[in-house]
């Protein structure tokens, strides 16, 4: 028995000397996040920047069961680690259906709305965020229809925040309404999509200037307020909100 113990000890000594000792398990690398904090006019915003040549930006609404995903956490569970971030992606009705254009994988599931009415969605011009191949765009609804764009993905919301480098004409410099807000803009000829959410209630004017002046987006669209929420596992964030309609996010190609 003693000789066997000596043999085993000798073998272990050889293994250590040869660098073959068992290594401790390494922690899994942190999920890379496209989201980071950005300061603008004394307020903090979380901004998620996506290069469409590296990731795919798309919209989500109904799961395999035909029901709305309803929450960002549910979407994260269903899509898995390929989903680098997501946020609510446009206004919706009481049944969680989009109130305007909604296109998924090239299939139009809800048509464009040109109706007039109350609320932010109808603060004309409203607009459409869309993805076609490796480019994204934000266009006011009239221009989108005139250009006859056939997107892979699209969601309509309103109002536009920035139109051709200018703040929406009906957005005051700093009005009385302050809410948690989220929106989307594009730059680099549509190669880069930029999503933002405020960390505290902010005015429309402040939010629009974030996209125009701080983020350098010539066109940007308001997605929603009050229900605005973010899922970003790379920064350990998964906001809880009321049931949501359309969602938008980035997935690995």
């Amino acid at each position: 028995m003693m000789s066997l113990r000596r043999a085993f000890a000798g073998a272990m000594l050889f293994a250590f000397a040869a660098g073959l000792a068992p290594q401790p398990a390494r922690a899994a690398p942190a999920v890379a996040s496209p989201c980071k904090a950005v300061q603008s006019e004394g307020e903090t915003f979380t901004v998620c920047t996506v290069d469409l040549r590296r990731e795919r930006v798309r919209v989500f609404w109904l799961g395999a069961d035909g029901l709305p995903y309803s929450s960002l956490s549910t979407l994260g569970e269903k899509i898995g680690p390929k989903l680098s971030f997501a946020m609510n992606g446009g206004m919706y009705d009481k049944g969680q259906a989009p109130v305007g254009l909604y296109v998924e994988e090239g299939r139009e599931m809800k048509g464009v709305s040109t109706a007039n009415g109350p609320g932010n969605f109808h603060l004309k011009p409203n607009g459409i965020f869309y993805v076609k191949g490796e480019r994204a765009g934000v266009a006011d609804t009239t221009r989108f229809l005139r250009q006859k764009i056939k997107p892979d993905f699209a969601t309509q919301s309103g109002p536009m925040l920035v139109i051709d480098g200018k703040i929406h004409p009906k957005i005051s410099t700093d009005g009385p309404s302050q809410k948690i807000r989220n929106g989307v803009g594009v730059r680099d000829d549509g190669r880069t999509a930029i999503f933002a959410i405020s960390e505290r209630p902010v005015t429309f004017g402040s939010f629009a200037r974030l996209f125009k002046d701080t983020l350098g987006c010539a066109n940007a669209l308001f997605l929603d307020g009050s229900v605005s929420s973010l899922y970003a596992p790379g920064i350990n964030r998964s906001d809880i909100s009321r049931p949501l309609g359309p969602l938008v996010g980035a997935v690995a190609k």
Side-chain angles (χ1 to χ4, degrees):
M1 177 67 70
M2 187 61 68
S3 60
L4 288 175
R5 288 176 180 172
R6 288 197 184 105
F8 176 75
M12 288 299 293
L13 182 60
F14 174 79
F16 275 100
L20 300 176
Q23 298 296 312
R26 294 183 179 179
V31 177
S33 177
C35 307
K36 67 177 183 179
V38 171
Q39 301 290 320
S40 177
E41 298 184 357
E43 294 290 347
T44 301
F45 302 84
T46 298
V47 175
C48 304
T49 304
V50 184
D51 183 340
L52 275 79
R53 292 164 293 188
R54 298 183 178 182
E55 287 191 281
R56 191 182 191 210
V57 174
R58 59 157 298 172
V59 293
F60 309 84
W61 174 28
L62 304 177
D65 56 4
L67 299 175
Y69 285 103
S70 197
S71 74
L72 294 169
S73 59
T74 298
L75 180 68
E77 291 169 5
K78 298 295 184 182
I79 304 301
K82 290 180 62 177
L83 183 68
S84 64
F85 94 95
M87 62 173 51
N88 52 303
M91 297 176 188
Y92 52 98
D93 61 23
K94 292 181 180 179
Q96 296 170 258
V99 297
L101 179 68
Y102 183 87
V103 178
E104 193 171 322
E105 299 286 7
R107 181 165 67 99
E108 185 177 295
M109 300 172 68
K110 195 77 182 287
V112 173
S113 172
T114 57
N116 295 317
N120 293 327
F121 182 87
H122 298 103
L123 186 60
K124 305 290 185 67
N126 56 19
I128 294 165
F129 169 72
Y130 63 92
V131 178
K132 182 72 174 177
E134 293 187 344
R135 281 190 167 87
V138 170
D140 70 75
T141 301
T142 300
R143 178 180 294 183
F144 179 90
L145 291 171
R146 186 171 62 245
Q147 294 178 342
K148 298 181 179 180
I149 297 168
K150 301 295 183 183
D152 300 325
F153 300 95
T155 183
Q156 185 178 7
S157 193
M160 290 285 289
L161 295 169
V162 186
I163 308 165
D164 295 333
K166 297 180 180 179
I167 302 293
H168 188 298
K170 294 179 183 177
I171 293 178
S172 59
T173 301
D174 278 303
S177 174
Q178 295 193 18
K179 297 180 182 295
I180 301 290
R181 305 182 189 275
N182 73 303
V184 59
V186 294
R187 67 183 186 211
D188 304 329
D189 195 27
R191 298 289 190 187
T192 304
I194 302 179
F195 300 82
I197 183 170
S198 64
E199 294 303 306
R200 298 195 313 164
V202 295
T203 65
F204 259 125
S206 173
F207 197 50
R209 291 190 297 274
L210 167 76
F211 280 98
K212 175 181 175 290
D213 300 331
T214 304
L215 303 178
C217 297
N219 291 281
L221 177 66
F222 181 63
L223 290 175
D224 213 341
S226 297
V227 300
S228 299
S229 44
L230 174 66
Y231 171 83
I235 57 174
N236 297 315
R237 181 164 172 176
S238 183
D239 296 347
I240 298 174
S241 174
R242 298 200 300 266
L244 300 171
L247 310 173
V248 60
V251 294
K253 286 189 173 182

